[in-house]
Amino acid sequence: MKLEKAIAVCRALPGATEDIKWGADLVFSVGEKMFAVTGNCADAEGISFKVDDERFLELTDRPGIIAAPYLARAKWVKIVDFKAVSDAEAAELLTRSHAIIFGKLTKKLQREIGEK
C-alpha cells in the first residue's frame, strides 16, 4: 500500500472531511467522527483506522499491523509497514472503517450525507 493511495481513498468516500488535529495529524472524518488518521507528511509512520471487532486480533497478528496507540480499546489498528497490505486490501479496510463510523451516525445525519 502506498500512503498517497490510502489518502485518495479516504478523500473519495461519501461525506468524508479532512483536517489537521494534534498539530500534525491528518484526520479523516464522516459526520465529524474520525474513521482514519495519518501523519501529515510523506514520511508518515503509518495510517490508523477503525476495524470490525472480530477482525481486530486477526489484523494485529499480522506483521506490519499493530493496535493503534490510544485507540486500540475502540478496535483501531495502525499499519506501520506499508508493505503489509496491498492497495486493494487497504482500500477495502478504509472503506469498511468509513462504513462502521457512518453506521453509528444518526439516521438524519446519514440522510444528509447521502444527499450530498
Side-chain angles (χ1 to χ4, degrees):
M1 173 187 81
K2 294 197 180 343
L3 181 59
E4 299 80 25
K5 288 189 178 184
I7 290 171
V9 167
C10 291
R11 287 179 174 154
L13 293 168
T17 59
E18 64 183 90
D19 63 341
I20 304 296
K21 293 189 192 282
W22 311 297
D25 291 327
L26 181 59
V27 175
F28 292 96
S29 303
V30 61
E32 297 187 17
K33 297 195 180 284
M34 296 187 321
F35 70 89
V37 179
T38 188
N40 188 28
C41 57
D43 61 343
E45 295 177 3
I47 186 165
S48 300
F49 50 90
K50 173 85 170 139
V51 296
D52 290 299
D53 291 358
E54 58 273 4
R55 299 244 13 231
F56 181 78
L57 290 177
E58 167 204 338
L59 290 167
T60 55
D61 279 345
R62 290 170 51 178
I65 303 176
I66 63 170
Y70 310 107
L71 295 169
R73 62 179 160 62
K75 305 300 190 238
W76 278 58
V77 299
K78 181 175 184 179
I79 297 175
V80 293
D81 180 355
F82 290 114
K83 296 175 188 161
V85 294
S86 67
D87 288 345
E89 184 179 15
E92 178 185 316
L93 290 167
L94 291 166
T95 300
R96 180 63 188 145
S97 177
H98 175 274
I100 293 167
I101 301 304
F102 183 84
K104 293 181 180 190
L105 301 175
T106 64
K107 297 297 179 196
K108 179 182 177 189
L109 191 51
Q110 288 178 5
R111 281 192 303 274
E112 289 173 6
I113 291 170
E115 291 172 1
K116 291 182 182 176

